[in-house]
Amino acid sequence: SAVISQKPSRDICQRGTSLTIQCQVDSQVTMMFWYRQQPGQSLTLIATANQGSEATYESGFVIDKFPISRPNLTFSTLTVSNMSPEDSSIYLCSVEGGGGVYGYTFGSGTRLTVV
Amino acid sequence: GENVEQHPSTLSVQEGDSAVIKCTYSDSASNYFPWYKQELGKGPQLIIDIRSNVGEKKDQRIAVTLNKTAKHFSLHITETQPEDSAVYFCAATGGNEKLTFGTGTRLTIIP
């Protein structure tokens, strides 16, 4: 399966600022996904990022708050903009396929704390 | 859209005993059902998955069963060990290729 490198692994940020999270995959993949996992909760899909097109956002998530880039088939970024304490969560990227194996692989996540 | 329910939310099992976690889904078009294990501070790790054309799949101590008619699938862990302690998530996806997750089960193995 694909190997995902996600950076940073954790950060503490001031409210009102923005943080960009990077996701690097070791193989080319068509679909990349960004999830949010609030403390003690399940995973909620933020958006689907396909190379060469605009990201598709799920209900409750908007591009102005969570802009996403997908410049090529191995890389994506998620920005959490104008942060508030409610944005404190784990943010995870995921890919479908990669490495010649079907399935969805997850990065190790970015633990974000907004103070 | 798809809705996945997962039970129980917490489960404590004596080491060596079996653990069973159950999920139900709503979308009859769903055809892929993975299970993930998430340890503290880590991302979810795929442990086993099953497709809708298969009723059961086994990998050593882990097995998954699927009942498409009833729209439910279950994770079975036999001969549990302390390292099995984690949060387990079921998920489902159909033609839209988006995973919908269950609410998670915190499994604790009692030595």
Side-chain angles (χ1 to χ4, degrees):
Chain A
S1 61
V3 176
I4 299 173
S5 174
Q6 190 173 333
K7 296 178 181 179
S9 59
R10 59 177 62 231
D11 207 341
I12 301 173
C13 300
Q14 296 290 324
R15 66 177 67 199
T17 63
S18 298
L19 176 71
T20 295
I21 302 167
Q22 299 181 1
C23 182
Q24 178 75 52
V25 190
D26 70 341
S27 57
Q28 294 184 339
V29 293
T30 301
M31 303 184 75
M32 295 182 77
F33 306 88
W34 287 98
Y35 287 83
R36 182 175 72 184
Q37 187 176 27
Q38 295 179 304
Q41 302 296 313
S42 186
L43 288 79
T44 301
L45 182 63
I46 297 172
T48 302
N50 292 333
Q51 192 264 340
S53 63
E54 293 286 330
T56 303
Y57 289 82
E58 297 299 305
S59 176
F61 298 96
V62 294
I63 187 171
D64 290 346
K65 177 67 175 178
F66 298 101
I68 288 171
S69 78
R70 182 80 200 273
N72 56 52
L73 291 174
T74 64
F75 187 78
S76 179
T77 66
L78 170 76
T79 299
V80 186
S81 303
N82 187 25
M83 289 183 286
S84 65
E86 292 71 37
D87 294 320
S88 296
S89 288
I90 300 172
Y91 292 86
L92 297 140
C93 72
S94 174
V95 302
E96 185 268 313
V101 177
Y102 183 81
Y104 296 76
T105 306
F106 284 82
S108 55
T110 296
R111 185 178 296 272
L112 170 62
T113 302
V114 184
V115 297
Chain B
E2 176 65 278
N3 181 50
V4 179
E5 295 188 358
Q6 183 173 346
H7 300 280
S9 57
T10 61
L11 179 61
S12 293
V13 174
Q14 207 72 33
E15 181 178 355
D17 288 349
S18 297
V20 180
I21 303 170
K22 298 182 179 182
C23 290
T24 61
Y25 62 98
S26 61
D27 189 350
S28 57
S30 288
N31 56 13
Y32 176 66
F33 308 91
W35 285 89
Y36 289 87
K37 176 184 182 181
Q38 187 174 28
E39 297 175 305
L40 194 62
K42 298 184 179 180
Q45 179 187 9
L46 178 68
I47 56 172
I48 197 168
D49 56 12
I50 193 167
R51 292 184 174 278
S52 60
N53 58 346
V54 176
E56 182 174 358
K57 184 177 178 180
K58 193 173 182 180
D59 183 4
Q60 298 181 30
R61 297 187 297 109
I62 295 173
V64 56
T65 59
L66 170 65
N67 183 327
K68 278 223 79 177
T69 302
K71 293 188 208 165
H72 65 72
F73 56 112
S74 301
L75 177 71
H76 304 253
I77 306 174
T78 59
E79 300 173 20
T80 53
Q81 302 168 2
E83 51 265 38
D84 294 330
S85 294
V87 179
Y88 291 81
F89 292 98
C90 63
T93 185
N96 63 11
E97 299 181 321
K98 295 186 294 186
L99 276 180
T100 300
F101 282 84
T103 49
T105 297
R106 182 173 298 278
L107 175 62
T108 301
I109 306 303
I110 305 167

